[in-house]
Amino acid sequence: MEVQKHSVHTLVFRSLKRTHDMFLADQANPPPPNEKSDTMKSMIKARDEYGSVLHLVKNKKLNEVEENSHVDHSKNEDSTLSHFERRTSINEFEGRELYETDAPPPGTEDIYQAPTPAPPPSQALVLAGSQQQALTMRRMPSIPKPKWHPPWKLYRVVSGHLGWVRCLAVEPGNEWFATGSNDRIIKIWDLASGKLKLSLTGHISAVRGLAISSRQPYLFSCGEDKQVKCWDLEYNKVIRHYHGHLSGVYAIALHPTIDILVTGGRDSTARVWDMRTKANIHSLTGHTNTVASVQCQATEPQVLTGSHDCTVRLWDLVAGKTRVTLTHHKKSIRALLIHPRLNMFASGAPDNIKQWRCPDGNFVQNLSGHSAIVNCLGINSDNVLVSGGDNGTLYFWDWKTGYNFQRLQAPVQPGSIDSEAGIFACTFDQSGSRLLSAEADKTVKIFREDDSASEETHPINWKPEILKRKRF
């Protein structure tokens, strides 16, 4: 049987006609008018809109009746009667609920009781005033002014790697820092002078993550070669390997109080390792794309992961299961940061930087404006939050208010092209006075605060946002 072809116009018209015919029988014939229902509607509307001032009308009517009582008693009686009838007709429906038919059920006309008398005018005005004040206070939250922070400036460039510098970590004693690069080498630098102290070779592909233990002389590294290594810094050699990842390992974090480490990678899994026995304690599965960032803390949730599947997961470390999944971001999350003092954390993605409250991941506020792929986040004790972008930009924020007080783009190393401006990792040193960034021009840049700046030379150009919620 050959199918007859019709134009789009004909098909649309037929669809409209079918819809019209289907709904015509049900919706086109309105129900017959019901006078009692219409009366009830008008009474309920009058009560809802004018119920709070009906006692004023009643008092006025009574005063008029008293003034005119010596003129015509019969007229007074009629007036009082008509007012009583009107008041009764309105009160008759006070306190009733609306039914689906807008009319009371049959046989229930006499079960309604008289309404509660309205408060005297003075009390009503006091109540109205207090309610209005409460509404005003709710609508006008106090918006804290951001704290002034001095601007940051570049003061040192450390070069020596032959590839993109992908990760860095500062030693707990604040004497040296380590960097990992696409040239497969881990380099250790003196923090004060910026001079190279040591190079560690062993990875056969790019080094993507570094973590330095505060309790043992250990340095942990991970890379695109699927390897996770433990380096003994007293002997400067690898003493343990942690095998289990099926693809490149992009993130690593040490637990602050337990001898475990957590890694995340391209196999969409975060793995929990026993530092000494090398056992894979948990495989934290649930993400559907690369796990790009991992953080550990001593309080619940003890493990946080951010992924390219646009979600942040908070994990129950004991059970090895997801505790909360945060789906607020619309783009991949490459950076997570735990606040050093507050029970909060931040996540960075190209759409927004978001702040959250532990332990349940309650949303606090958005930090909008860094329109780039956010690769890293850092924070110091002065509540200066830094976000580093794939285009080489550094944004400085006030943590509490989310105010962006400075934007920086350091020049690329001489001999590099502008497209090699990119920040892959950033962190503050242990004192919070120096900011280190690992960049795509094969350098590490060190920033510090401008000592000559003041509130007069660099004033806060801040205006409160009208729709901004009160955060704290």
Side-chain angles (χ1 to χ4, degrees):
M1 179 180 176
E2 186 177 354
V3 178
Q4 187 176 2
K5 296 182 180 178
H6 297 283
S7 67
V8 175
H9 178 76
T10 303
L11 294 174
V12 171
F13 178 77
R14 288 185 177 180
S15 176
L16 288 172
K17 187 174 185 307
R18 281 196 300 271
T19 305
H20 177 266
D21 294 341
M22 182 172 67
F23 283 98
L24 183 65
D26 296 334
Q27 307 294 334
N29 299 321
N34 187 332
E35 185 176 352
K36 193 170 184 179
S37 176
D38 294 340
T39 306
M40 177 179 284
K41 285 180 184 177
S42 61
M43 292 303 105
I44 290 173
K45 186 173 182 181
R47 186 199 56 146
D48 289 343
E49 295 189 4
Y50 308 110
S52 60
V53 295
L54 279 177
H55 62 280
L56 301 178
V57 179
K58 182 178 180 180
N59 293 339
K60 184 178 179 182
K61 289 289 184 181
L62 290 175
N63 292 336
E64 291 177 357
V65 169
E66 290 175 0
E67 290 174 0
N68 299 330
S69 60
H70 65 280
V71 178
D72 190 353
H73 293 285
S74 61
K75 185 177 179 181
N76 181 21
E77 291 175 1
D78 294 340
S79 173
T80 306
L81 181 61
S82 62
H83 172 69
F84 176 77
E85 289 174 350
R86 286 198 303 275
R87 181 65 181 164
T88 304
S89 63
I90 294 176
N91 287 347
E92 181 184 358
F93 301 103
E94 287 189 358
R96 296 187 180 182
E97 296 180 356
L98 282 176
Y99 292 87
E100 293 183 359
T101 58
D102 289 340
T108 60
E109 287 82 359
D110 299 327
I111 66 173
Y112 299 103
Q113 298 179 355
T116 306
S122 59
Q123 186 179 354
L125 291 174
V126 170
L127 290 173
S130 62
Q131 292 174 356
Q132 184 67 28
Q133 186 178 4
L135 286 173
T136 306
M137 290 175 64
R138 192 180 302 124
R139 289 172 186 166
M140 297 176 61
S142 60
I143 303 175
K145 185 178 180 180
K147 175 186 173 184
W148 182 81
H149 299 282
W152 292 70
K153 63 180 182 180
L154 175 68
Y155 88 99
R156 175 169 290 153
V157 177
V158 178
S159 59
H161 277 292
L162 302 178
W164 290 353
V165 186
R166 300 304 300 250
C167 53
L168 56 82
V170 179
E171 180 251 341
N174 214 35
E175 294 182 357
W176 52 269
F177 66 96
T179 57
S181 168
N182 272 18
D183 62 7
R184 309 183 297 279
I185 299 174
I186 300 169
K187 291 182 181 288
I188 294 177
W189 313 81
D190 184 72
L191 185 57
S193 63
K195 293 182 179 179
L196 180 65
K197 297 178 69 174
L198 186 67
S199 293
L200 301 175
T201 58
H203 280 280
I204 58 174
S205 189
V207 181
R208 295 296 295 266
L210 291 172
I212 302 171
S213 174
S214 59
R215 297 196 306 278
Q216 298 96 0
Y218 292 161
L219 167 69
F220 295 87
S221 64
C222 62
E224 293 179 5
D225 52 9
K226 312 178 192 176
Q227 296 185 33
V228 180
K229 296 176 182 288
C230 173
W231 303 78
D232 188 327
L233 296 177
E234 292 179 347
Y235 298 95
N236 296 331
K237 66 178 184 179
V238 178
I239 59 171
R240 296 186 190 99
H241 287 89
Y242 303 88
H243 296 287
H245 276 286
L246 306 177
S247 190
V249 190
Y250 290 171
I252 188 169
L254 294 176
H255 196 283
T257 58
I258 311 171
D259 285 344
I260 61 171
L261 64 146
V262 183
T263 55
R266 225 178 118 206
D267 56 3
S268 310
T269 305
R271 298 179 187 271
V272 182
W273 310 90
D274 185 295
M275 189 183 293
R276 303 205 175 271
T277 66
K278 303 178 286 185
N280 187 185
I281 302 170
H282 290 304
S283 293
L284 306 179
T285 58
H287 283 295
T288 58
N289 208 326
T290 301
V291 178
S293 182
V294 170
Q295 290 289 336
C296 286
Q297 62 179 359
T299 59
E300 295 292 339
Q302 296 188 54
V303 178
L304 301 88
T305 57
S307 169
H308 288 186
D309 63 7
C310 311
T311 65
V312 177
R313 285 181 181 256
L314 316 182
W315 300 88
D316 183 337
L317 183 58
V318 176
K321 294 181 180 178
T322 302
R323 177 173 177 162
V324 181
T325 303
L326 306 176
T327 59
H328 299 56
H329 281 288
K330 297 181 178 64
K331 295 189 178 180
S332 61
I333 300 154
R334 301 189 183 207
L336 287 178
L337 172 79
I338 294 175
H339 195 282
R341 294 192 314 275
L342 303 176
N343 196 24
M344 298 173 67
F345 68 96
S347 58
D351 55 349
N352 266 318
I353 298 168
K354 295 180 186 291
Q355 290 179 356
W356 314 86
R357 203 181 304 281
C358 297
D360 298 320
N362 298 320
F363 175 76
V364 178
Q365 67 176 340
N366 278 327
L367 278 61
S368 302
H370 200 171
S371 53
I373 297 173
V374 177
N375 283 328
C376 54
L377 295 171
I379 192 169
N380 68 1
S381 56
D382 291 333
N383 275 341
V384 175
L385 175 68
V386 178
S387 56
D390 212 44
N391 56 0
T393 54
L394 276 173
Y395 278 44
F396 295 80
W397 314 80
D398 178 59
W399 173 275
K400 187 172 182 180
T401 59
Y403 170 63
N404 176 214
F405 66 89
Q406 188 183 6
R407 301 178 180 185
L408 268 182
Q409 177 145 16
V412 296
Q413 185 183 27
S416 302
I417 57 178
D418 290 340
S419 61
E420 286 185 308
I423 299 171
F424 295 118
C426 67
T427 186
F428 286 92
D429 69 352
Q430 303 300 333
S431 67
S433 61
R434 286 170 288 193
L435 172 68
L436 293 78
S437 65
E439 309 213 359
D441 61 358
K442 307 170 188 174
T443 66
V444 176
K445 294 185 172 69
I446 304 177
F447 301 83
R448 66 181 176 189
E449 292 178 344
D450 188 350
D451 297 332
S452 62
S454 65
E455 292 194 52
E456 288 73 26
T457 59
H458 294 77
I460 297 178
N461 184 21
W462 175 79
K463 293 180 181 178
E465 297 178 19
I466 297 175
L467 299 178
K468 194 154 192 174
R469 295 163 40 200
K470 182 178 179 182
R471 310 299 179 194
F472 298 91

